[in-house]
Amino acid sequence: MIKGQFYGKGSPLISLCLNVPGFPKSNSITKEFFRFCLSDLTYFLRSRLIELDYKISVEICDAAGDYFVALCSKNLPDLLEIKQICEAFEGNHPLGRFIDVDLNDEQGNTISSGKSKACFFCGEKPAIECRRQNAHDQEQLRSFMFSKMKDYCHNQRESAIIKKLSSFAQKAILYEISLTPKPGLVDKFSNGSHTDMNFLTFINSTTAISGFFDELAQAGFSFRDNDYAKALPVIRNIGLRMESAMYEATGNINTQKGIIFLMGLSLFACGKLYSQGDHFDKDVFRGIIENICEDIVSKELAVPSPSNLSHGEEIYRKYGISGARGEAESGLRTVFEFGLPQLERITEINDSALIKCFLAIASNNNDTNILYRQGIETLLGFRDLCKKAFENFTDENYSRVIQFCKSENISPGGSADLLAVSIFVWLVMDAEQKHNFPFLPGTNDF
């Protein structure tokens, strides 16, 4: 018996297995569910100061199904108290009746509370009584159990991916804000060309809008309509509430309206993409955004406005440049053709790589923030300096870009937004290549 090899080592044992009726006891569904359970159990025990020694443990799958056993650490509470904790795990878990967490003392004696468990199917009689009486059809039991396990794993996976995507979005925005020095933009040591905002203003704004990131990713997971045009109002509904939170946090200063739109699309698209599979595909990601924003420029910028023109509408009427809407309609062309290729050359984010990424974007982006402040000639001059600094990256050439923004009082906020989105996409791709993403339960838990 597997447990036997652990007896006499001075510590009790905790084991985990599943109550699977019939045979086979294990399949792809039970394996995934088992890994989630083991991860859940690990944190449940640790939160109650019970550590398992994973160096002295066994995890196997045999005819009896998936099974795990490990020694407990020293200095534990009373064994009956540990047993109560194990039972609490089963009782608090939404599918706890499918789970058996057993406790043995150091000699191998089973520690039992003497309580009987209810049948997981009918919930009316003790499980042992239903088994003895063959009260339920075995295939019906298995079908019921596997369906519940599958739903649980799906929901756990979705929740974990959404949390990770939200953290990537927040990280990407904070990386962009923290990049120092930046031409004309707020960074850690300068307000750039702004008099109404500073680094802390952006920190306040980012913390306010980041609370909505999981909602955007969740909306992508939940979207089932074949008409992607119907997704735009869903994203905008969340985006408008983000804008309100931003203005409240900044005292009515517009710090991040552009990134709310572009990151909102990106999070929604990632949620939709990962609802369909486990691999980030650039073309699929871009295609989702293109479909959501199809004809957005002609619908929202080319149509005469009955009220005062927005900055974006003014720029479009004057120069025919479509700004963030055009970028979205193109499936983030500037991000994928100019920004992301710079980051794909690195293995770890650093300031030098981010500056080069910014210059690659700014060299090719018709930044409407600059156009609105100063006009086309200034934009072209800025782009030319960025191109020279990108092609021959030196402190002197980069300083010329910074000085130009200062003298012309311009702030390339549109390019900064595209830098943040480029970082976000890179973080998703990098995590998928190197780490446990989109999500496999339990891999990094112990």
Side-chain angles (χ1 to χ4, degrees), residues 249-295:
T250 62
N252 290 321
I253 298 171
N254 176 13
T255 49
Q256 294 174 309
K257 195 171 180 178
I259 197 61
I260 286 173
F261 176 59
L262 293 176
M263 192 63 79
L265 286 169
S266 299
L267 282 164
F268 182 95
C270 274
K272 179 61 180 173
L273 188 155
Y274 281 119
S275 75
Q276 300 169 336
D278 285 338
H279 175 63
F280 182 87
D281 186 297
K282 294 180 189 177
D283 293 333
V284 173
F285 174 81
R286 294 189 65 183
I288 292 171
I289 293 178
E290 287 173 1
N291 289 331
I292 293 171
C293 298
E294 185 176 3
D295 298 327

mmCIF file of all heavy atoms in Angstrom, residues 249-295:
data_model
loop_
_atom_site.group_PDB
_atom_site.id
_atom_site.type_symbol
_atom_site.label_atom_id
_atom_site.label_comp_id
_atom_site.label_asym_id
_atom_site.label_seq_id
_atom_site.Cartn_x
_atom_site.Cartn_y
_atom_site.Cartn_z
ATOM 1 N N ALA A 249 -11.414 59.976 -9.681
ATOM 2 C CA ALA A 249 -10.108 59.786 -9.042
ATOM 3 C C ALA A 249 -9.134 60.923 -9.339
ATOM 4 O O ALA A 249 -8.201 61.154 -8.565
ATOM 5 C CB ALA A 249 -9.501 58.461 -9.502
ATOM 6 N N THR A 250 -9.338 61.618 -10.458
ATOM 7 C CA THR A 250 -8.367 62.640 -10.890
ATOM 8 C C THR A 250 -8.878 64.065 -10.736
ATOM 9 O O THR A 250 -8.155 65.000 -11.109
ATOM 10 C CB THR A 250 -7.991 62.423 -12.363
ATOM 11 O OG1 THR A 250 -9.165 62.575 -13.178
ATOM 12 C CG2 THR A 250 -7.389 61.048 -12.582
ATOM 13 N N GLY A 251 -10.078 64.235 -10.217
ATOM 14 C CA GLY A 251 -10.614 65.585 -10.128
ATOM 15 C C GLY A 251 -10.987 66.137 -11.492
ATOM 16 O O GLY A 251 -10.679 67.286 -11.824
ATOM 17 N N ASN A 252 -11.603 65.274 -12.318
ATOM 18 C CA ASN A 252 -12.093 65.639 -13.663
ATOM 19 C C ASN A 252 -10.980 65.911 -14.678
ATOM 20 O O ASN A 252 -11.172 66.655 -15.640
ATOM 21 C CB ASN A 252 -13.024 66.858 -13.588
ATOM 22 C CG ASN A 252 -14.336 66.528 -12.915
ATOM 23 O OD1 ASN A 252 -14.900 65.454 -13.125
ATOM 24 N ND2 ASN A 252 -14.811 67.435 -12.067
ATOM 25 N N ILE A 253 -9.844 65.277 -14.487
ATOM 26 C CA ILE A 253 -8.754 65.369 -15.468
ATOM 27 C C ILE A 253 -8.771 64.113 -16.340
ATOM 28 O O ILE A 253 -8.838 63.002 -15.828
ATOM 29 C CB ILE A 253 -7.385 65.485 -14.766
ATOM 30 C CG1 ILE A 253 -7.331 66.767 -13.926
ATOM 31 C CG2 ILE A 253 -6.249 65.475 -15.793
ATOM 32 C CD1 ILE A 253 -6.104 66.843 -13.034
ATOM 33 N N ASN A 254 -8.706 64.304 -17.647
ATOM 34 C CA ASN A 254 -8.689 63.172 -18.586
ATOM 35 C C ASN A 254 -7.267 62.638 -18.708
ATOM 36 O O ASN A 254 -6.447 63.171 -19.441
ATOM 37 C CB ASN A 254 -9.216 63.609 -19.955
ATOM 38 C CG ASN A 254 -9.124 62.490 -20.988
ATOM 39 O OD1 ASN A 254 -8.898 61.323 -20.662
ATOM 40 N ND2 ASN A 254 -9.278 62.835 -22.250
ATOM 41 N N THR A 255 -6.992 61.607 -17.977
ATOM 42 C CA THR A 255 -5.666 60.993 -18.028
ATOM 43 C C THR A 255 -5.600 59.821 -19.000
ATOM 44 O O THR A 255 -4.598 59.631 -19.687
ATOM 45 C CB THR A 255 -5.259 60.475 -16.632
ATOM 46 O OG1 THR A 255 -6.346 59.709 -16.099
ATOM 47 C CG2 THR A 255 -4.923 61.619 -15.699
ATOM 48 N N GLN A 256 -6.672 59.022 -19.073
ATOM 49 C CA GLN A 256 -6.552 57.715 -19.742
ATOM 50 C C GLN A 256 -7.764 57.321 -20.572
ATOM 51 O O GLN A 256 -8.052 56.146 -20.733
ATOM 52 C CB GLN A 256 -6.268 56.639 -18.692
ATOM 53 C CG GLN A 256 -4.926 56.806 -18.012
ATOM 54 C CD GLN A 256 -4.716 55.815 -16.880
ATOM 55 O OE1 GLN A 256 -5.560 55.684 -16.008
ATOM 56 N NE2 GLN A 256 -3.587 55.140 -16.881
ATOM 57 N N LYS A 257 -8.461 58.296 -21.142
ATOM 58 C CA LYS A 257 -9.646 57.970 -21.925
ATOM 59 C C LYS A 257 -9.301 57.082 -23.121
ATOM 60 O O LYS A 257 -10.032 56.153 -23.463
ATOM 61 C CB LYS A 257 -10.317 59.256 -22.403
ATOM 62 C CG LYS A 257 -11.735 59.059 -22.904
ATOM 63 C CD LYS A 257 -12.410 60.398 -23.139
ATOM 64 C CE LYS A 257 -13.832 60.200 -23.642
ATOM 65 N NZ LYS A 257 -14.516 61.508 -23.839
ATOM 66 N N GLY A 258 -8.148 57.341 -23.749
ATOM 67 C CA GLY A 258 -7.743 56.544 -24.904
ATOM 68 C C GLY A 258 -7.437 55.099 -24.549
ATOM 69 O O GLY A 258 -7.865 54.177 -25.246
ATOM 70 N N ILE A 259 -6.725 54.908 -23.440
ATOM 71 C CA ILE A 259 -6.348 53.538 -23.073
ATOM 72 C C ILE A 259 -7.558 52.772 -22.560
ATOM 73 O O ILE A 259 -7.623 51.539 -22.685
ATOM 74 C CB ILE A 259 -5.206 53.526 -22.027
ATOM 75 C CG1 ILE A 259 -4.539 52.140 -21.976
ATOM 76 C CG2 ILE A 259 -5.696 53.909 -20.647
ATOM 77 C CD1 ILE A 259 -3.909 51.714 -23.266
ATOM 78 N N ILE A 260 -8.538 53.461 -22.003
ATOM 79 C CA ILE A 260 -9.774 52.786 -21.599
ATOM 80 C C ILE A 260 -10.405 52.117 -22.810
ATOM 81 O O ILE A 260 -10.857 50.965 -22.748
ATOM 82 C CB ILE A 260 -10.750 53.788 -20.944
ATOM 83 C CG1 ILE A 260 -10.262 54.153 -19.534
ATOM 84 C CG2 ILE A 260 -12.158 53.199 -20.872
ATOM 85 C CD1 ILE A 260 -11.067 55.266 -18.876
ATOM 86 N N PHE A 261 -10.433 52.819 -23.930
ATOM 87 C CA PHE A 261 -11.021 52.271 -25.151
ATOM 88 C C PHE A 261 -10.181 51.127 -25.719
ATOM 89 O O PHE A 261 -10.694 50.018 -25.964
ATOM 90 C CB PHE A 261 -11.164 53.384 -26.190
ATOM 91 C CG PHE A 261 -11.673 52.928 -27.533
ATOM 92 C CD1 PHE A 261 -12.908 52.294 -27.661
ATOM 93 C CD2 PHE A 261 -10.919 53.135 -28.675
ATOM 94 C CE1 PHE A 261 -13.375 51.873 -28.903
ATOM 95 C CE2 PHE A 261 -11.373 52.724 -29.923
ATOM 96 C CZ PHE A 261 -12.606 52.093 -30.035
ATOM 97 N N LEU A 262 -8.891 51.348 -25.895
ATOM 98 C CA LEU A 262 -8.040 50.348 -26.548
ATOM 99 C C LEU A 262 -7.797 49.128 -25.654
ATOM 100 O O LEU A 262 -7.822 47.987 -26.129
ATOM 101 C CB LEU A 262 -6.712 50.980 -26.954
ATOM 102 C CG LEU A 262 -6.802 52.047 -28.050
ATOM 103 C CD1 LEU A 262 -5.432 52.677 -28.300
ATOM 104 C CD2 LEU A 262 -7.351 51.463 -29.343
ATOM 105 N N MET A 263 -7.567 49.344 -24.349
ATOM 106 C CA MET A 263 -7.358 48.205 -23.463
ATOM 107 C C MET A 263 -8.666 47.465 -23.229
ATOM 108 O O MET A 263 -8.679 46.237 -23.054
ATOM 109 C CB MET A 263 -6.759 48.653 -22.131
ATOM 110 C CG MET A 263 -6.235 47.503 -21.273
ATOM 111 S SD MET A 263 -4.860 46.607 -22.053
ATOM 112 C CE MET A 263 -3.497 47.735 -21.692
ATOM 113 N N GLY A 264 -9.774 48.221 -23.247
ATOM 114 C CA GLY A 264 -11.074 47.569 -23.117
ATOM 115 C C GLY A 264 -11.323 46.595 -24.247
ATOM 116 O O GLY A 264 -11.758 45.459 -24.028
ATOM 117 N N LEU A 265 -11.034 47.015 -25.476
ATOM 118 C CA LEU A 265 -11.156 46.127 -26.631
ATOM 119 C C LEU A 265 -10.231 44.928 -26.503
ATOM 120 O O LEU A 265 -10.605 43.787 -26.806
ATOM 121 C CB LEU A 265 -10.821 46.892 -27.916
ATOM 122 C CG LEU A 265 -11.857 47.885 -28.431
ATOM 123 C CD1 LEU A 265 -11.238 48.743 -29.537
ATOM 124 C CD2 LEU A 265 -13.087 47.162 -28.962
ATOM 125 N N SER A 266 -9.009 45.171 -26.045
ATOM 126 C CA SER A 266 -8.008 44.104 -25.946
ATOM 127 C C SER A 266 -8.402 43.055 -24.908
ATOM 128 O O SER A 266 -8.256 41.844 -25.141
ATOM 129 C CB SER A 266 -6.640 44.697 -25.600
ATOM 130 O OG SER A 266 -6.209 45.597 -26.602
ATOM 131 N N LEU A 267 -8.897 43.501 -23.768
ATOM 132 C CA LEU A 267 -9.319 42.558 -22.728
ATOM 133 C C LEU A 267 -10.532 41.759 -23.179
ATOM 134 O O LEU A 267 -10.597 40.539 -22.974
ATOM 135 C CB LEU A 267 -9.639 43.315 -21.438
ATOM 136 C CG LEU A 267 -8.435 43.760 -20.617
ATOM 137 C CD1 LEU A 267 -8.833 44.817 -19.601
ATOM 138 C CD2 LEU A 267 -7.783 42.572 -19.917
ATOM 139 N N PHE A 268 -11.489 42.424 -23.802
ATOM 140 C CA PHE A 268 -12.662 41.725 -24.309
ATOM 141 C C PHE A 268 -12.252 40.687 -25.348
ATOM 142 O O PHE A 268 -12.713 39.535 -25.319
ATOM 143 C CB PHE A 268 -13.639 42.728 -24.923
ATOM 144 C CG PHE A 268 -14.910 42.109 -25.446
ATOM 145 C CD1 PHE A 268 -16.042 42.075 -24.657
ATOM 146 C CD2 PHE A 268 -14.972 41.560 -26.724
ATOM 147 C CE1 PHE A 268 -17.225 41.506 -25.127
ATOM 148 C CE2 PHE A 268 -16.142 40.980 -27.204
ATOM 149 C CZ PHE A 268 -17.270 40.952 -26.402
ATOM 150 N N ALA A 269 -11.379 41.090 -26.276
ATOM 151 C CA ALA A 269 -10.951 40.173 -27.337
ATOM 152 C C ALA A 269 -10.210 38.972 -26.765
ATOM 153 O O ALA A 269 -10.381 37.838 -27.236
ATOM 154 C CB ALA A 269 -10.070 40.919 -28.341
ATOM 155 N N CYS A 270 -9.379 39.194 -25.740
ATOM 156 C CA CYS A 270 -8.671 38.073 -25.112
ATOM 157 C C CYS A 270 -9.658 37.138 -24.413
ATOM 158 O O CYS A 270 -9.517 35.909 -24.476
ATOM 159 C CB CYS A 270 -7.655 38.588 -24.103
ATOM 160 S SG CYS A 270 -6.057 39.000 -24.823
ATOM 161 N N GLY A 271 -10.644 37.713 -23.733
ATOM 162 C CA GLY A 271 -11.652 36.876 -23.092
ATOM 163 C C GLY A 271 -12.380 36.019 -24.108
ATOM 164 O O GLY A 271 -12.583 34.818 -23.898
ATOM 165 N N LYS A 272 -12.758 36.617 -25.220
ATOM 166 C CA LYS A 272 -13.443 35.866 -26.272
ATOM 167 C C LYS A 272 -12.530 34.796 -26.851
ATOM 168 O O LYS A 272 -12.942 33.644 -27.064
ATOM 169 C CB LYS A 272 -13.900 36.825 -27.372
ATOM 170 C CG LYS A 272 -14.622 36.146 -28.537
ATOM 171 C CD LYS A 272 -15.887 35.435 -28.079
ATOM 172 C CE LYS A 272 -16.610 34.772 -29.232
ATOM 173 N NZ LYS A 272 -17.749 33.950 -28.766
ATOM 174 N N LEU A 273 -11.274 35.152 -27.100
ATOM 175 C CA LEU A 273 -10.323 34.207 -27.689
ATOM 176 C C LEU A 273 -10.123 32.999 -26.779
ATOM 177 O O LEU A 273 -10.179 31.850 -27.228
ATOM 178 C CB LEU A 273 -9.000 34.936 -27.942
ATOM 179 C CG LEU A 273 -7.892 34.231 -28.717
ATOM 180 C CD1 LEU A 273 -6.974 35.273 -29.371
ATOM 181 C CD2 LEU A 273 -7.049 33.339 -27.831
ATOM 182 N N TYR A 274 -9.899 33.243 -25.488
ATOM 183 C CA TYR A 274 -9.637 32.139 -24.559
ATOM 184 C C TYR A 274 -10.907 31.374 -24.194
ATOM 185 O O TYR A 274 -10.819 30.275 -23.638
ATOM 186 C CB TYR A 274 -8.922 32.643 -23.313
ATOM 187 C CG TYR A 274 -7.445 32.870 -23.538
ATOM 188 C CD1 TYR A 274 -6.877 34.129 -23.382
ATOM 189 C CD2 TYR A 274 -6.619 31.820 -23.922
ATOM 190 C CE1 TYR A 274 -5.527 34.343 -23.589
ATOM 191 C CE2 TYR A 274 -5.267 32.020 -24.135
ATOM 192 C CZ TYR A 274 -4.718 33.279 -23.977
ATOM 193 O OH TYR A 274 -3.377 33.486 -24.194
ATOM 194 N N SER A 275 -12.068 31.927 -24.498
ATOM 195 C CA SER A 275 -13.291 31.146 -24.316
ATOM 196 C C SER A 275 -13.401 30.060 -25.372
ATOM 197 O O SER A 275 -14.164 29.103 -25.229
ATOM 198 C CB SER A 275 -14.523 32.053 -24.392
ATOM 199 O OG SER A 275 -14.810 32.447 -25.729
ATOM 200 N N GLN A 276 -12.618 30.205 -26.444
ATOM 201 C CA GLN A 276 -12.671 29.269 -27.570
ATOM 202 C C GLN A 276 -11.508 28.287 -27.583
ATOM 203 O O GLN A 276 -11.554 27.293 -28.302
ATOM 204 C CB GLN A 276 -12.685 30.059 -28.880
ATOM 205 C CG GLN A 276 -13.880 31.000 -29.005
ATOM 206 C CD GLN A 276 -13.734 31.971 -30.171
ATOM 207 O OE1 GLN A 276 -12.628 32.272 -30.614
ATOM 208 N NE2 GLN A 276 -14.844 32.459 -30.675
ATOM 209 N N GLY A 277 -10.448 28.555 -26.830
ATOM 210 C CA GLY A 277 -9.287 27.663 -26.860
ATOM 211 C C GLY A 277 -8.214 28.110 -25.898
ATOM 212 O O GLY A 277 -8.378 29.084 -25.157
ATOM 213 N N ASP A 278 -7.086 27.407 -25.915
ATOM 214 C CA ASP A 278 -6.009 27.645 -24.962
ATOM 215 C C ASP A 278 -4.777 28.281 -25.579
ATOM 216 O O ASP A 278 -3.706 28.240 -24.989
ATOM 217 C CB ASP A 278 -5.593 26.323 -24.298
ATOM 218 C CG ASP A 278 -6.595 25.869 -23.261
ATOM 219 O OD1 ASP A 278 -7.343 26.731 -22.760
ATOM 220 O OD2 ASP A 278 -6.641 24.671 -22.960
ATOM 221 N N HIS A 279 -4.904 28.867 -26.752
ATOM 222 C CA HIS A 279 -3.728 29.425 -27.410
ATOM 223 C C HIS A 279 -4.020 30.832 -27.904
ATOM 224 O O HIS A 279 -5.058 31.072 -28.528
ATOM 225 C CB HIS A 279 -3.295 28.539 -28.581
ATOM 226 C CG HIS A 279 -2.165 29.114 -29.385
ATOM 227 N ND1 HIS A 279 -0.917 29.332 -28.854
ATOM 228 C CD2 HIS A 279 -2.103 29.535 -30.687
ATOM 229 C CE1 HIS A 279 -0.125 29.850 -29.794
ATOM 230 N NE2 HIS A 279 -0.835 29.987 -30.896
ATOM 231 N N PHE A 280 -3.117 31.776 -27.604
ATOM 232 C CA PHE A 280 -3.257 33.140 -28.115
ATOM 233 C C PHE A 280 -2.819 33.168 -29.563
ATOM 234 O O PHE A 280 -1.683 32.836 -29.898
ATOM 235 C CB PHE A 280 -2.405 34.114 -27.304
ATOM 236 C CG PHE A 280 -2.545 35.545 -27.767
ATOM 237 C CD1 PHE A 280 -3.556 36.343 -27.275
ATOM 238 C CD2 PHE A 280 -1.676 36.071 -28.715
ATOM 239 C CE1 PHE A 280 -3.704 37.658 -27.697
ATOM 240 C CE2 PHE A 280 -1.813 37.378 -29.154
ATOM 241 C CZ PHE A 280 -2.828 38.175 -28.646
ATOM 242 N N ASP A 281 -3.726 33.563 -30.424
ATOM 243 C CA ASP A 281 -3.460 33.653 -31.859
ATOM 244 C C ASP A 281 -3.596 35.115 -32.271
ATOM 245 O O ASP A 281 -4.662 35.717 -32.124
ATOM 246 C CB ASP A 281 -4.457 32.782 -32.630
ATOM 247 C CG ASP A 281 -4.154 32.705 -34.116
ATOM 248 O OD1 ASP A 281 -4.211 33.753 -34.785
ATOM 249 O OD2 ASP A 281 -3.875 31.594 -34.601
ATOM 250 N N LYS A 282 -2.517 35.686 -32.770
ATOM 251 C CA LYS A 282 -2.524 37.108 -33.152
ATOM 252 C C LYS A 282 -3.632 37.412 -34.148
ATOM 253 O O LYS A 282 -4.344 38.418 -34.023
ATOM 254 C CB LYS A 282 -1.172 37.495 -33.774
ATOM 255 C CG LYS A 282 0.010 37.438 -32.855
ATOM 256 C CD LYS A 282 1.247 37.861 -33.640
ATOM 257 C CE LYS A 282 2.517 37.639 -32.866
ATOM 258 N NZ LYS A 282 3.720 37.992 -33.656
ATOM 259 N N ASP A 283 -3.744 36.576 -35.168
ATOM 260 C CA ASP A 283 -4.725 36.839 -36.217
ATOM 261 C C ASP A 283 -6.152 36.768 -35.684
ATOM 262 O O ASP A 283 -7.006 37.578 -36.057
ATOM 263 C CB ASP A 283 -4.542 35.855 -37.375
ATOM 264 C CG ASP A 283 -3.228 36.058 -38.115
ATOM 265 O OD1 ASP A 283 -2.708 37.195 -38.101
ATOM 266 O OD2 ASP A 283 -2.709 35.088 -38.706
ATOM 267 N N VAL A 284 -6.407 35.793 -34.819
ATOM 268 C CA VAL A 284 -7.748 35.677 -34.233
ATOM 269 C C VAL A 284 -8.030 36.882 -33.341
ATOM 270 O O VAL A 284 -9.121 37.475 -33.396
ATOM 271 C CB VAL A 284 -7.882 34.366 -33.432
ATOM 272 C CG1 VAL A 284 -9.220 34.328 -32.693
ATOM 273 C CG2 VAL A 284 -7.748 33.167 -34.348
ATOM 274 N N PHE A 285 -7.064 37.261 -32.523
ATOM 275 C CA PHE A 285 -7.197 38.419 -31.641
ATOM 276 C C PHE A 285 -7.501 39.684 -32.443
ATOM 277 O O PHE A 285 -8.447 40.419 -32.144
ATOM 278 C CB PHE A 285 -5.908 38.589 -30.836
ATOM 279 C CG PHE A 285 -5.856 39.824 -29.979
ATOM 280 C CD1 PHE A 285 -6.488 39.847 -28.746
ATOM 281 C CD2 PHE A 285 -5.164 40.946 -30.394
ATOM 282 C CE1 PHE A 285 -6.427 40.988 -27.938
ATOM 283 C CE2 PHE A 285 -5.094 42.091 -29.598
ATOM 284 C CZ PHE A 285 -5.730 42.099 -28.370
ATOM 285 N N ARG A 286 -6.711 39.918 -33.483
ATOM 286 C CA ARG A 286 -6.928 41.107 -34.315
ATOM 287 C C ARG A 286 -8.269 41.029 -35.037
ATOM 288 O O ARG A 286 -8.968 42.042 -35.175
ATOM 289 C CB ARG A 286 -5.795 41.260 -35.331
ATOM 290 C CG ARG A 286 -4.443 41.549 -34.724
ATOM 291 C CD ARG A 286 -3.417 41.901 -35.793
ATOM 292 N NE ARG A 286 -3.781 43.151 -36.474
ATOM 293 C CZ ARG A 286 -3.096 43.674 -37.496
ATOM 294 N NH1 ARG A 286 -2.038 43.028 -37.971
ATOM 295 N NH2 ARG A 286 -3.480 44.805 -38.045
ATOM 296 N N GLY A 287 -8.619 39.831 -35.489
ATOM 297 C CA GLY A 287 -9.881 39.655 -36.205
ATOM 298 C C GLY A 287 -11.084 39.988 -35.338
ATOM 299 O O GLY A 287 -12.064 40.582 -35.810
ATOM 300 N N ILE A 288 -11.022 39.620 -34.060
ATOM 301 C CA ILE A 288 -12.121 39.928 -33.137
ATOM 302 C C ILE A 288 -12.284 41.440 -33.015
ATOM 303 O O ILE A 288 -13.400 41.974 -33.100
ATOM 304 C CB ILE A 288 -11.862 39.284 -31.758
ATOM 305 C CG1 ILE A 288 -11.942 37.759 -31.855
ATOM 306 C CG2 ILE A 288 -12.874 39.801 -30.731
ATOM 307 C CD1 ILE A 288 -11.490 37.043 -30.597
ATOM 308 N N ILE A 289 -11.168 42.134 -32.836
ATOM 309 C CA ILE A 289 -11.232 43.597 -32.698
ATOM 310 C C ILE A 289 -11.705 44.246 -33.988
ATOM 311 O O ILE A 289 -12.522 45.184 -33.971
ATOM 312 C CB ILE A 289 -9.856 44.145 -32.261
ATOM 313 C CG1 ILE A 289 -9.537 43.665 -30.848
ATOM 314 C CG2 ILE A 289 -9.834 45.673 -32.333
ATOM 315 C CD1 ILE A 289 -8.186 44.092 -30.321
ATOM 316 N N GLU A 290 -11.218 43.760 -35.132
ATOM 317 C CA GLU A 290 -11.673 44.296 -36.417
ATOM 318 C C GLU A 290 -13.178 44.124 -36.587
ATOM 319 O O GLU A 290 -13.880 45.037 -37.049
ATOM 320 C CB GLU A 290 -10.944 43.594 -37.565
ATOM 321 C CG GLU A 290 -9.488 43.990 -37.717
ATOM 322 C CD GLU A 290 -8.785 43.139 -38.765
ATOM 323 O OE1 GLU A 290 -9.443 42.266 -39.362
ATOM 324 O OE2 GLU A 290 -7.583 43.349 -38.979
ATOM 325 N N ASN A 291 -13.683 42.955 -36.217
ATOM 326 C CA ASN A 291 -15.121 42.690 -36.352
ATOM 327 C C ASN A 291 -15.950 43.568 -35.416
ATOM 328 O O ASN A 291 -17.027 44.040 -35.788
ATOM 329 C CB ASN A 291 -15.414 41.218 -36.084
ATOM 330 C CG ASN A 291 -14.909 40.309 -37.184
ATOM 331 O OD1 ASN A 291 -14.818 40.716 -38.338
ATOM 332 N ND2 ASN A 291 -14.580 39.075 -36.842
ATOM 333 N N ILE A 292 -15.452 43.770 -34.214
ATOM 334 C CA ILE A 292 -16.164 44.627 -33.262
ATOM 335 C C ILE A 292 -16.243 46.060 -33.783
ATOM 336 O O ILE A 292 -17.282 46.723 -33.660
ATOM 337 C CB ILE A 292 -15.472 44.600 -31.886
ATOM 338 C CG1 ILE A 292 -15.603 43.218 -31.241
ATOM 339 C CG2 ILE A 292 -16.060 45.667 -30.960
ATOM 340 C CD1 ILE A 292 -14.764 43.050 -29.988
ATOM 341 N N CYS A 293 -15.150 46.526 -34.368
ATOM 342 C CA CYS A 293 -15.029 47.940 -34.769
ATOM 343 C C CYS A 293 -15.211 48.165 -36.270
ATOM 344 O O CYS A 293 -14.797 49.205 -36.798
ATOM 345 C CB CYS A 293 -13.669 48.476 -34.329
ATOM 346 S SG CYS A 293 -13.436 48.441 -32.538
ATOM 347 N N GLU A 294 -15.820 47.217 -36.939
ATOM 348 C CA GLU A 294 -16.033 47.353 -38.381
ATOM 349 C C GLU A 294 -16.818 48.645 -38.689
ATOM 350 O O GLU A 294 -17.873 48.906 -38.117
ATOM 351 C CB GLU A 294 -16.796 46.146 -38.915
ATOM 352 C CG GLU A 294 -16.949 46.139 -40.420
ATOM 353 C CD GLU A 294 -17.632 44.885 -40.935
ATOM 354 O OE1 GLU A 294 -18.034 44.043 -40.101
ATOM 355 O OE2 GLU A 294 -17.764 44.751 -42.166
ATOM 356 N N ASP A 295 -16.243 49.460 -39.597
ATOM 357 C CA ASP A 295 -16.865 50.712 -40.057
ATOM 358 C C ASP A 295 -17.076 51.729 -38.940
ATOM 359 O O ASP A 295 -17.886 52.651 -39.078
ATOM 360 C CB ASP A 295 -18.217 50.435 -40.742
ATOM 361 C CG ASP A 295 -18.078 49.569 -41.977
ATOM 362 O OD1 ASP A 295 -17.049 49.682 -42.666
ATOM 363 O OD2 ASP A 295 -18.998 48.774 -42.247
#
